[in-house]
Each structure stands twice: as structure tokens, then as C-alpha cells.
Amino acid sequence: MAVLSSTESEACAAVLLPLYRALDAAKPGSRAERVAERALDYAINAFETDPFGASDRPPQFQIHDHLRNAWHNVPRADRREACGFLRHTAAVSSQGRTRILGPVEYCSPEDHALSQDIHDRLREALGSRARVVLDGMLADETVATIAKVSGLRQRSVERFRRDIRAAAAALVLVA
């Protein structure tokens, strides 16, 4: 970013400070916090890309525009994440068994990143034996094969599979 003049620096502060205050005032984890963070990102990017062009509009209009855009884009991002998660969890193998994070016919970079994020969060939430079952599910192995490899009983594997699906569904509700 180029060095800002004093008037540009004041214009930047006039936009960023109210957004930082909104972020500080928001309850952690709330939609208001996510909106304030996104609006702050928009404002920083606007000044970073064009510090001279952003100062020609009054700060209150810039703040309003950033907050409005963030207010509309935060739920869109949540829906996109939930739809991507559902698309990955609903991928069905040829044998009719449901995969947790199996491949889909087309996987964009965003889908891949989302899948990896969900996979990482799911692995963190599981115990070591459940991770072995998850690996078997991702490899599209049968319950009997997973039980044989892991040394668990088939009923235990079925229980772990049910718990893994419930944990995956809970991840969507948290987001």
C-alpha cells in the first residue's frame, strides 16, 4: 500500500474506526460480528486497492455500503458452505452407501477447500477409533472391512458411523 497523505489517512480512519467499534461492540460468534468483520475487510481492501478513489465519497456512505454488502454476503457464504457440505455428504457411491466427504462429479477449488475444512474439523471432534472408522468410510469400505482392519466389532463400527454422521451434521448447524 502506498504512503497516504494526511487527508487520505484521515479519510481512512473515518471509515475504519467506526467499523472497528462495531466489531468490538458485537457479541463474539454472532452474525453482527461476522458482518462487522466482513465490512472491515471490504473497507481495508477498498483503501488498499485505490486509496485515492475511496476518499471522494463521504465516510458515512462508505461505511453504510460496506455494512450493507457484508450484511447480504454473510448469509450467502453460510448457505454456500452448508450447500457444499450437503453436496459432499450426499455423494452416494455405486453400492448405495453414503460417503461422508466423498468425491463429487465436479469439484471446484472452493468445494475442495470446503471439503478439506469440514474434514479437518470432523477429525478434530472424533476420537482415535472413530478416526479409523472415518478413514474407512472415506475409502468406501464396508462395515465388515472396517471392523476387520480396525479390530472393532461390526456393531461398534456401525455405532461409530452413526456418531460420525451426527457430528458431521452438527458441524453444519454450527456454521
Side-chain angles (χ1 to χ4, degrees):
M1 184 171 170
V3 177
L4 300 177
S5 68
S6 62
T7 55
E8 292 165 351
S9 180
E10 289 172 12
C12 183
V15 173
L16 295 180
L17 287 177
L19 293 175
Y20 275 115
R21 287 189 196 112
L23 181 61
D24 287 339
K27 181 180 174 186
S30 67
R31 181 178 181 189
E33 180 190 43
R34 294 192 331 247
V35 166
E37 284 177 346
R38 179 79 50 111
L40 195 55
D41 286 344
Y42 292 159
I44 290 170
N45 288 332
F47 278 107
E48 201 169 86
T49 57
D50 189 14
F52 302 105
S55 62
D56 64 347
R57 295 177 48 231
Q60 63 269 25
F61 291 138
Q62 293 179 45
I63 294 167
H64 176 268
D65 288 347
H66 294 312
L67 285 171
R68 183 196 63 224
N69 291 339
W71 183 259
H72 291 290
N73 287 330
V74 164
R76 286 183 192 143
D78 292 344
R79 283 192 304 271
R80 186 169 50 249
E81 182 176 345
C83 288
F85 179 78
L86 292 175
R87 183 171 45 230
H88 286 286
T89 57
V92 177
S93 68
S94 59
Q95 292 84 17
R97 293 186 299 271
T98 302
R99 295 182 182 180
I100 290 294
L101 298 173
V104 292
E105 299 207 3
Y106 171 74
C107 187
S108 70
E110 183 178 310
D111 291 336
H112 179 71
L114 177 63
S115 174
Q116 189 61 44
D117 177 56
I118 292 168
H119 180 260
D120 292 344
R121 288 192 288 170
L122 187 58
R123 286 188 74 79
E124 288 174 9
L126 299 174
S128 60
R129 295 189 314 169
R131 286 187 204 123
V132 173
V133 174
L134 174 64
D135 292 338
M137 292 172 72
L138 291 172
D140 202 24
E141 295 175 349
T142 64
V143 172
T145 305
I146 297 171
K148 185 176 181 181
V149 170
S150 65
L152 297 170
R153 294 184 340 214
Q154 286 189 13
R155 289 177 56 101
S156 297
V157 171
E158 290 171 354
R159 182 176 47 83
F160 278 124
R161 286 168 57 107
R162 184 188 67 234
D163 294 345
I164 289 168
R165 287 188 184 103
L171 286 175
V172 172
L173 295 176
V174 170

